[in-house]
Amino acid sequence: MTSEFTTHLTEAVVDSLEGTADPRLRELLAALTRHLHAFVRETEPTMAEWEKAVDFLTATGQTCTDTRQEFVLLSDVLGVSMLVETINSDGRGDVTESTVLGPFHMTESPVRELGADIDLVGGGEPCVVSGRVLSRDGTPLPGAVLDVWQANAEGYYDVQQPEVQPPGNGRGLFTADDEGRFWFRTCVPSPYPIPTDGPVGDLLRATGRHPYRPAHIHFIASAEGHTPVTTHIFVAGSDHLDSDAVFAVKESLVQDFTETDDPSLAREFGIPNPFRQARFDLVLNPARS
């Protein structure tokens, strides 16, 4: 009788959605209902366990602020963000692979000139990041826009340390030149833990997982007539490349940050010598017509 009732209950909830005007919304809610009900039937949570789950989601929402998105962090550590990103990636041709947006793309990156230094506080190992934005066939994309953001040398984003870092530290909005080239100065990123002082941190501790991400720089590259890509570059040899807390590492995105000892080149870039260099291209797919 219980099994018959639970099946009828699921069907009744799905039937109640028939009046939903948006067909895609109706499809999504119906699938969510079926899978959520199936989860409950499979695991048979107690009322205390279900109340604890509701409390966890409530605390997750209460932790969100203008500069912190705990629900994005939860999506990240459960691998859902990476799954959605991968399913929605264009996947055509030899193009730059996508990865997660992350929870710290919270503020608008300041417009900066090519060659500018996004590390406004110093303290890290100086670095020059350069490359080109190309179409899939290798054609340069002049005027392509690159939104860049990263943590400082201690592993914190500007929004995490408003009393220490000026707004926009580690961020820049760059426009590629007539040959699709870009370059900027920064510090070599370091591995860092995602925030663990909220519900997501409690979840990681309860499951015996570490909170660390390998060293990386975020990019969103876009150009007219092309599909934008949200991606990272990861520092080759960084700790946690094989155990990223948000499951975002792809082999093609791991890049060498080469040690360079060249005083004349350092003067050209306006950076202390010695320094590190990372060179790579961002390749975009033409948009589907």
Side-chain angles (χ1 to χ4, degrees), residues 56 59-60 63 68 70 73 195-205:
F56 174 81
T60 300
T63 305
R68 177 166 177 168
E70 194 77 358
L73 199 62
T196 58
D197 58 342
V200 172
D202 294 338
L203 176 64
L204 292 177
R205 285 185 286 273

Side-chain angles (χ1 to χ4, degrees), residues 15-279:
D15 288 346
S16 75
L17 303 171
E18 285 301 313
T20 307
D22 185 333
R24 177 59 172 167
L25 178 60
R26 182 169 65 250
E27 177 187 11
L28 292 172
L29 291 175
L32 175 64
T33 299
R34 293 190 183 98
H35 285 281
L36 184 57
H37 283 218
F39 166 79
V40 173
R41 281 193 290 269
E42 177 186 344
T43 61
E44 297 185 344
T46 65
M47 285 303 300
E49 289 171 335
W50 189 248
E51 289 170 1
K52 190 170 183 178
V54 171
D55 289 343
F56 174 81
L57 293 176
T58 300
T60 300
Q62 292 171 338
T63 305
C64 297
T65 68
D66 289 343
T67 57
R68 177 166 177 168
Q69 234 305 346
E70 194 77 358
F71 267 113
V72 171
L73 199 62
L74 177 60
S75 174
D76 289 350
V77 302
L78 292 177
V80 178
S81 299
M82 196 63 228
L83 183 59
V84 173
E85 180 65 43
T86 301
I87 288 172
N88 282 275
S89 63
D90 201 310
R92 292 179 290 152
D94 187 16
V95 298
T96 299
E97 291 191 277
S98 62
T99 190
V100 298
L101 179 69
F104 294 113
H105 191 253
M106 302 288 295
T107 61
E108 186 174 346
S109 296
V111 175
R112 301 192 191 277
E113 297 293 328
L114 291 175
D117 194 346
I118 65 172
D119 178 18
L120 307 181
V121 296
E125 188 175 6
C127 176
V128 174
V129 178
S130 62
R132 297 173 299 167
V133 185
L134 306 171
S135 186
R136 187 181 60 200
D137 64 2
T139 303
L141 295 176
V145 175
L146 296 102
D147 191 354
V148 179
W149 68 104
Q150 70 170 86
N152 68 3
E154 284 71 48
Y156 293 98
Y157 289 85
D158 57 344
V159 295
Q160 294 178 283
Q161 294 183 311
E163 73 288 350
V164 175
Q165 299 187 47
N169 185 54
R171 301 179 190 268
L173 193 66
F174 297 95
T175 300
D177 70 10
D178 291 343
E179 297 180 30
R181 297 177 301 182
F182 67 90
W183 64 96
F184 60 89
R185 293 170 290 160
T186 184
C187 63
V188 177
S190 62
Y192 65 84
I194 60 175
T196 58
D197 58 342
V200 172
D202 294 338
L203 176 64
L204 292 177
R205 285 185 286 273
T207 54
R209 288 175 53 188
H210 75 71
Y212 284 90
R213 299 217 57 208
H216 62 275
I217 302 175
H218 294 263
F219 289 82
I220 299 175
S222 58
E224 185 176 356
H226 288 74
T227 302
V229 63
T230 299
T231 193
H232 299 9
I233 57 169
F234 295 93
V235 179
S238 173
D239 292 338
H240 314 297
L241 282 172
D242 59 350
S243 60
D244 183 6
V246 305
F247 309 99
V249 177
K250 295 181 178 180
E251 186 176 352
S252 68
L253 303 179
V254 179
Q255 300 288 333
D256 289 324
F257 281 61
T258 307
E259 294 184 8
T260 303
D261 186 354
D262 186 332
S264 62
L265 189 58
R267 285 193 297 271
E268 180 182 335
F269 283 128
I271 197 167
N273 189 62
F275 61 99
R276 303 274 287 275
Q277 280 186 284
R279 297 174 177 170

